[in-house]
């Protein structure tokens, strides 16, 4: 027999349902949780009252009337503002000075390693080189085991185009700002915590290692042009060391964060401006593939693509999902799989466009920087899912077909890849380039 709830419990339950209903109603109208709107309203009221008091010059408190002395009030505000400006300014200057010193020291350390790569200026034929980084793209084995998705059709399509898809490819690091610097500099970046301490967390150093990398310096010394494709991720939005920054979108990380974290996001349901900019940024490499391929060479093209990275705004057919607060914060593996399927279609067409261009056959490397972070129940699941990656390379006439490879070795392998066309390696006649491969 079910007993009726006590009056107090029933009242509490009713209030809880009412709050939930109000919250859902407000989110459906404005795309913001009730708590955020309350905070915004409180700030608005406080600032409105302050402006009203200053405007009138007086404030009535019961029978007493407070008159503002604007001269003293202005002096007090100026003193407070000057104090805040000086204290924050001094802290910022000291922090930046220390950060620049640390960065200069570490960048010099990484440049010292360039000496082991002795590349003669009389290198053989110089094909265009494309490095396509698919951010957070799951490995084929992960898609099969975790999502029950067999992407063998995509893998076979790459193989039919001359790619070797590494069966056991693993990332050296579990996040972008660690993985990409290590692959572009062809060495582990453990020296950063070893030299600067384990608590060092200034990611701008990692950004610099991405932008001014060892492979870009080596290829530029051979006459290559360094071309960066705008990504929407800070270090690969604009690369000051690149000869060309290919920009076809306004979707910078700052702009998108501004649009998502301010009241502008409340209009997204009615005018999906953020979604359009967000999607357009991720489609740049694929939408303009022909234009990128037509850029004069020889060229090294860095394509850091976020098409496979959450939030999962694309369906399998490329249809865009609304960029709501729920999509931005969701943990939806099913949506991720749909976006991966769309990614594979784009990548397959992108590769076809590059290979169909007249001229020397290009070198193309397709690689995840790390895997996704869904459904990780234990350390083994974390390793198998987040550390396993997609890695495929197209070296014309290649002979080096490795079963196991990590990103830190990819460019070493490329520079030392012997083939019928490049008997001594693509840029190596001294026998030194890539000799010390770091397979583990």
């Amino acid at each position: 027999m079910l007993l009726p709830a006590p009056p107090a419990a029933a009242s509490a339950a009713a209030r809880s349902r009412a709050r939930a209903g109000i919250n859902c109603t407000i989110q459906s109208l404005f795309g913001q949780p009730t708590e955020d709107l309350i905070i915004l309203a409180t700030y608005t009221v406080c600032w409105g009252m302050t402006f009203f008091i200053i405007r009138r010059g007086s404030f009535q408190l019961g029978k007493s009337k407070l008159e503002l002395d604007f001269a003293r009030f202005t002096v007090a505000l100026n003193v407070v503002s000057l104090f805040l400006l000086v204290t924050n300014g001094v802290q910022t200057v000291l922090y930046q000075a220390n950060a620049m010193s640390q960065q200069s020291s570490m960048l010099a350390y990484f440049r010292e390693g360039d000496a082991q790569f002795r590349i003669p200026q009389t290198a053989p034929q110089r094909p265009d080189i494309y490095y396509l980084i698919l951010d957070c793209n799951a490995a084929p084995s992960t898609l099969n085991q975790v999502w029950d998705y067999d992407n063998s059709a995509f893998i076979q399509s790459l193989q039919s185009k001359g790619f070797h898809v590494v069966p056991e490819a693993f990332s050296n690091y579990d996040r972008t700002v660690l993985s990409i610097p290590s692959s572009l500099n062809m060495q582990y970046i453990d020296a950063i915590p070893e030299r600067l301490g384990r608590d060092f967390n200034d990611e701008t150093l990692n950004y610099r290692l991405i932008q001014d990398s060892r492979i870009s310096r080596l290829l530029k010394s051979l006459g290559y042009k360094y071309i960066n494709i705008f990504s929407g991720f800070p270090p690969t939005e604009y690369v000051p060391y690149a000869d060309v920054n290919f920009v076809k979108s306004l979707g910078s990380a700052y702009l998108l964060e501004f649009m998502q974290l301010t009241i502008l996001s409340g209009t997204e349901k009615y005018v999906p401006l953020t979604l359009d900019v967000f999607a357009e940024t991720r489609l740049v490499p694929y939408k303009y593939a022909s234009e990128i391929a037509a850029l004069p060479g020889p060229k090294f093209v860095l394509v850091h693509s976020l098409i496979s990275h959450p939030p999962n705004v694309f369906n399998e057919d490329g249809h865009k999902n609304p960029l709501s607060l729920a999509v931005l914060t969701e943990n939806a593996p099913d949506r991720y799989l749909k976006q991966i399927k769309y990614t594979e279609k784009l990548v397959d067409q992108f590769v076809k466009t590059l290979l169909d261009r007249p001229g020397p056959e290009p070198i193309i490397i397709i690689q995840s920087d790390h895997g996704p972070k869904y459904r990780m129940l234990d350390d083994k699941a974390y390793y198998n899912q987040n550390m396993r990656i997609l890695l495929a390379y197209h070296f014309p006439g290649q002979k080096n077909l490795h079963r196991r490879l990590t990103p830190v070795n990819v460019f070493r392998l490329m520079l030392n890849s012997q083939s019928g066309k490049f008997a001594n390696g693509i840029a190596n006649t001294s026998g030194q380039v890539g000799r010390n491969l770091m397979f583990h």
Side-chain angles (χ1 to χ4, degrees):
M1 177 178 179
L2 297 177
L3 298 177
S11 178
R15 288 196 299 271
S16 178
R17 286 194 298 270
R19 284 196 300 269
I22 294 172
N23 198 20
C24 291
T25 301
I26 293 177
Q27 286 198 49
S28 65
L29 292 175
F30 300 103
Q32 295 290 338
T34 308
E35 294 78 8
D36 289 358
L37 292 175
I38 291 174
I39 293 173
L40 177 62
T42 303
Y43 273 109
T44 303
V45 170
C46 290
W47 279 108
M49 291 175 61
T50 303
F51 178 78
F52 177 75
I53 294 171
I54 294 174
R55 179 79 174 177
R56 292 191 60 179
S58 63
F59 178 67
Q60 190 75 33
L61 185 61
K63 295 182 179 180
S64 302
K65 186 176 183 180
L66 177 63
E67 298 284 348
L68 291 180
D69 185 338
F70 282 102
R72 292 184 178 180
F73 188 63
T74 302
V75 171
L77 287 178
N78 287 340
V79 170
V80 172
S81 300
L82 181 62
F83 173 78
L84 294 174
L85 180 63
V86 170
T87 53
N88 284 280
V90 169
Q91 292 181 34
T92 301
V93 169
L94 292 176
Y95 174 83
Q96 290 296 334
N98 183 55
M100 290 177 65
S101 174
Q102 291 175 323
Q103 286 188 24
S104 298
S105 172
M106 288 307 306
L107 291 172
Y109 168 80
F110 277 96
R111 289 192 185 99
E112 289 174 1
D114 291 0
Q116 67 175 294
F117 298 89
R118 299 203 301 267
I119 299 181
Q121 296 302 310
T122 57
Q125 186 180 10
R126 302 168 188 176
D128 289 342
I129 301 172
Y130 297 88
Y131 186 31
L132 174 59
I133 305 170
L134 296 175
D135 205 310
C136 198
N137 198 103
S141 55
T142 301
L143 291 173
N144 196 341
Q145 296 171 14
V146 179
W147 274 269
D148 195 26
Y149 169 58
D150 180 6
N151 72 336
S152 57
F154 172 64
I155 300 302
Q156 291 169 6
S157 179
L158 290 178
Q159 292 171 335
S160 69
K161 295 178 176 64
F163 279 82
H164 172 60
V165 182
V166 180
E168 299 178 22
F170 297 87
S171 180
N172 303 103
Y173 299 94
D174 67 348
R175 63 202 66 186
T176 301
V177 295
L178 303 178
S179 177
I180 298 181
S182 65
S183 62
L184 287 172
N185 288 279
M186 297 180 280
Q187 73 177 80
Y188 304 113
I189 58 173
D190 298 2
I192 295 177
E194 290 172 358
R195 289 171 169 253
L196 301 181
R198 297 183 65 85
D199 294 332
F200 180 80
N201 59 1
D202 185 359
E203 290 186 350
T204 56
L205 172 57
N206 302 65
Y207 291 2
R208 293 280 299 277
L209 289 172
I210 291 174
Q211 296 173 338
D212 184 20
S213 63
R214 175 172 295 149
I215 188 61
S216 66
R217 291 193 298 270
L218 291 174
L219 292 175
K220 288 181 77 171
S221 73
L222 286 173
Y224 275 80
K225 291 183 178 179
Y226 180 13
I227 297 174
N228 173 65
I229 310 301
F230 181 88
S231 69
F233 184 67
T236 49
E237 282 182 348
Y238 177 82
V239 176
Y241 304 94
D243 298 297
V244 176
N245 279 281
F246 190 87
V247 181
K248 292 290 184 179
S249 171
L250 298 176
S252 67
Y254 173 80
L255 177 62
L256 289 171
E257 289 290 337
F258 177 81
M259 297 171 74
Q260 293 166 21
L261 298 177
T262 64
I263 199 171
L264 289 175
S265 62
T267 66
E268 185 66 19
K269 181 176 180 180
Y270 310 103
V271 183
L273 178 61
T274 307
L275 173 62
D276 292 340
V277 175
F278 192 93
E280 183 67 21
T281 301
R282 279 147 181 73
L283 292 174
V284 165
Y286 313 101
K287 186 175 180 180
Y288 298 95
S290 297
E291 190 172 337
I292 293 170
L295 293 172
K299 56 184 179 286
F300 168 57
V301 184
L302 175 61
V303 186
H304 178 203
S305 174
L306 301 180
I307 189 69
S308 48
H309 193 287
N312 306 310
V313 299
F314 292 103
N315 285 337
E316 183 177 351
D317 58 0
H319 177 75
K320 293 179 288 188
N321 299 309
L323 194 63
S324 62
L325 184 65
V327 171
L328 290 171
T329 58
E330 71 180 348
N331 182 11
D334 55 332
R335 284 182 183 261
Y336 174 79
L337 179 59
K338 292 177 181 179
Q339 187 160 269
I340 287 295
K341 291 179 179 179
Y342 183 55
T343 298
E344 292 177 349
K345 295 176 183 178
L346 293 176
V347 171
D348 193 62
Q349 183 58 45
F350 179 75
V351 168
K352 184 178 184 303
T353 301
L354 300 183
L355 294 176
D356 286 347
R357 286 282 303 174
E361 202 171 355
I363 286 177
I364 306 173
I365 300 168
I366 302 172
Q367 173 215 304
S368 320
D369 55 349
H370 58 81
K373 296 179 173 67
Y374 295 113
R375 297 172 176 168
M376 292 185 297
L377 303 178
D378 50 38
D379 290 344
K380 183 178 180 181
Y382 172 82
Y383 179 79
N384 286 334
Q385 184 173 323
N386 191 232
M387 301 302 290
R388 290 192 297 188
I389 60 172
L390 169 68
L391 177 52
Y393 55 85
H394 177 275
F395 299 161
Q398 60 193 342
K399 294 181 179 179
N400 297 311
L401 303 179
H402 292 275
R403 179 170 182 78
R404 177 173 293 181
L405 192 64
T406 64
V408 77
N409 294 307
V410 168
F411 284 108
R412 288 173 176 256
L413 179 63
M414 181 197 77
L415 293 172
N416 198 42
S417 60
Q418 296 182 351
S419 68
K421 293 185 178 180
F422 310 114
N424 296 309
I426 187 167
N428 179 39
T429 57
S430 66
Q432 295 299 314
V433 172
R435 169 172 288 181
N436 300 316
L437 294 178
M438 301 186 296
F439 294 112
H440 293 291

